[in-house]
């Protein structure tokens, strides 16, 4: 697997420029799908201009693999997704044969019932879209960030998630073990905005994020859930108060990949 470095701004730009090409894609084709605008990645010294493989309406998820680098992009919610995934934490999942094993493997080392099952279903459908292919990097926003957390843990791939909802029951996670630098979950970076309801709505139900979480404490009028709002805030990260999930001061990392972990405390 290639060593790929992305910045949080890279992740935001890719999500912004790929959303329309992904959500508007109607049929399977071997032809590349152009991004709305090419994205030059800060640390990879590459320009992403198209998507090599894109989901269709029949896949019931929004995801793509980039043409120029091996990056999986998972987009946020569309209107039907709320009924399919977001609002169904205890959804009954019916799987048979190999599919049952696949979805149980997806949630290891924990049990399926420890997860928000709507998010697991979404991640399982993205995994089906990958069809055995393993990306070098995963990025996701909102519902796509929930899926990205589960897939990043399952595939042991560096992952950046924007506006991440919680996916797993809090009492299942050993927080001290999770903070060990050797733990695979350190490869998942969740970026949240304190006033973004999506990033905290499941906390009263005792769910939490997989991996590392940094929280921007800035307050504005409005919900501020869109990727463009996150990108603008990330670009000015040094001007903002940022904490971890427990309220301890943290810095937003300039780049994220599998050998530069964990996140350091703010001095």
């Amino acid at each position: 697997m290639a060593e790929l470095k992305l910045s949080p701004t890279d992740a935001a730009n890719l999500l912004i420029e790929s959303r329309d090409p992904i959500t508007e894609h109607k049929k399977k084709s071997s032809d590349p799908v152009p991004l709305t605008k090419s994205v030059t990645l800060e640390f990879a010294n590459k320009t992403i201009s198209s998507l090599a493989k894109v989901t269709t309406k029949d896949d019931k998820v929004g995801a793509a693999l980039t043409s120029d680098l091996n990056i999986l992009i998972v987009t946020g919610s569309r209107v039907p997704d709320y009924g399919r995934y977001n609002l169904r934490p205890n959804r009954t999942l019916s799987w048979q044969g190999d599919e049952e094993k696949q979805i149980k493997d997806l949630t290891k080392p924990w049990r399926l019932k420890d997860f928000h099952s709507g998010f697991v279903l979404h991640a399982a459908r993205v995994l089906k879209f990958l069809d055995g292919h393993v990306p070098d990097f995963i990025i996701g926003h909102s519902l796509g960030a929930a899926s990205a957390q589960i897939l990043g843990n399952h595939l042991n791939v560096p992952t950046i998630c924007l506006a991440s909802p919680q996916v797993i029951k809090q009492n299942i996670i050993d927080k001290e073990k999770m903070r060990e630098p050797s733990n695979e979950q350190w490869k998942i970076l969740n970026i949240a905005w304190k006033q973004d309801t999506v990033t905290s709505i499941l906390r009263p139900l005792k769910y939490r994020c997989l991996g590392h979480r940094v929280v921007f404490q800035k307050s504005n009028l409005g919900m501020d859930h869109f990727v463009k709002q996150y990108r603008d805030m990330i670009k000015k990260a040094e001007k903002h108060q940022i904490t971890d999930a427990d309220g301890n001061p943290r810095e937003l990392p300039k780049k994220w990949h599998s050998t530069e972990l964990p996140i350091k405390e703010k001095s």
Side-chain angles (χ1 to χ4, degrees):
M1 184 178 291
E3 182 73 298
L4 181 58
K5 304 170 188 171
L6 293 183
S7 71
T9 305
D10 289 335
N13 284 331
L14 280 171
L15 284 161
I16 290 167
E17 305 305 338
S18 64
R19 180 172 175 83
D20 287 347
I22 290 172
T23 57
E24 294 171 4
H25 194 64
K26 304 297 183 185
K27 59 183 180 179
K28 294 189 185 298
S29 170
S30 58
D31 297 331
V33 177
L35 295 182
T36 307
K37 185 172 69 175
S38 296
V39 176
T40 300
L41 303 179
E42 190 174 353
F43 295 102
N45 197 26
K46 276 272 192 178
T47 297
I48 304 290
S49 57
S50 63
L51 305 170
K53 184 180 180 183
V54 185
T55 52
T56 68
K57 185 177 180 181
D58 293 339
D59 293 308
K60 297 181 180 178
V61 290
L65 284 164
T66 60
S67 295
D68 306 273
L69 288 171
N70 187 22
I71 302 171
L72 172 65
I73 301 170
V74 194
T75 62
S77 304
R78 294 169 287 189
V79 173
D81 292 334
Y82 290 93
R84 289 176 185 152
Y85 311 115
N86 304 48
L87 302 178
R88 302 185 68 177
N90 299 311
R91 175 171 182 158
T92 300
L93 301 179
S94 299
W95 301 83
Q96 296 180 359
D98 291 342
E99 287 184 330
E100 181 180 8
K101 181 180 184 304
Q102 185 183 61
I103 199 166
K104 286 182 177 178
D105 286 347
L106 191 58
T107 60
K108 285 182 178 178
W110 305 283
R111 301 167 298 178
L112 176 58
K113 69 179 184 178
D114 297 329
F115 282 79
H116 183 299
S117 54
F119 294 155
V120 172
L121 177 59
H122 189 275
R125 285 175 170 164
V126 177
L127 191 65
K128 184 177 181 181
F129 159 72
L130 287 173
D131 193 25
H133 180 81
V134 178
D136 293 325
F137 212 104
I138 302 173
I139 60 175
H141 168 249
S142 191
L143 171 61
S147 211
Q149 290 174 64
I150 296 168
L151 290 166
N153 179 73
H154 174 62
L155 297 172
N156 191 24
V157 171
T159 302
I160 295 178
C161 304
L162 305 184
S164 309
Q166 288 77 29
V167 300
I168 189 171
K169 291 179 181 176
Q170 180 174 319
N171 62 338
I172 301 303
I173 299 291
D174 184 337
K175 291 172 70 175
E176 293 307 315
K177 184 178 180 181
M178 196 163 128
R179 289 185 175 123
E180 293 175 3
S182 60
N183 194 300
E184 292 177 355
Q185 291 179 61
W186 281 100
K187 292 186 180 180
I188 304 169
L189 171 64
N190 295 285
I191 302 174
W193 195 334
K194 186 176 182 180
Q195 72 176 48
D196 181 354
T197 307
V198 170
T199 66
S200 59
I201 196 169
L202 289 170
R203 292 185 76 82
L205 298 178
K206 305 299 183 183
Y207 285 86
R208 65 158 295 149
C209 289
L210 276 176
H212 201 77
R213 188 170 186 257
V214 294
V215 184
F216 281 82
Q217 299 294 318
K218 180 185 176 185
S219 181
N220 277 338
L221 292 174
M223 182 172 158
D224 296 318
H225 182 65
F226 296 110
V227 182
K228 287 183 179 179
Q229 294 163 331
Y230 270 77
R231 180 185 61 184
D232 292 345
M233 186 171 56
I234 287 167
K235 284 183 174 180
K236 300 176 181 177
E238 69 280 357
K239 297 181 180 180
H240 296 300
Q241 180 188 4
I242 303 172
T243 69
D244 63 14
D246 296 323
N248 303 309
R250 287 292 186 267
E251 289 183 349
L252 184 70
K254 289 184 171 61
K255 59 179 178 285
W256 190 252
H257 61 132
S258 58
T259 60
E260 235 173 79
L261 311 173
I263 294 176
K264 64 180 179 180
E265 287 197 17
K266 197 170 186 178
S267 57

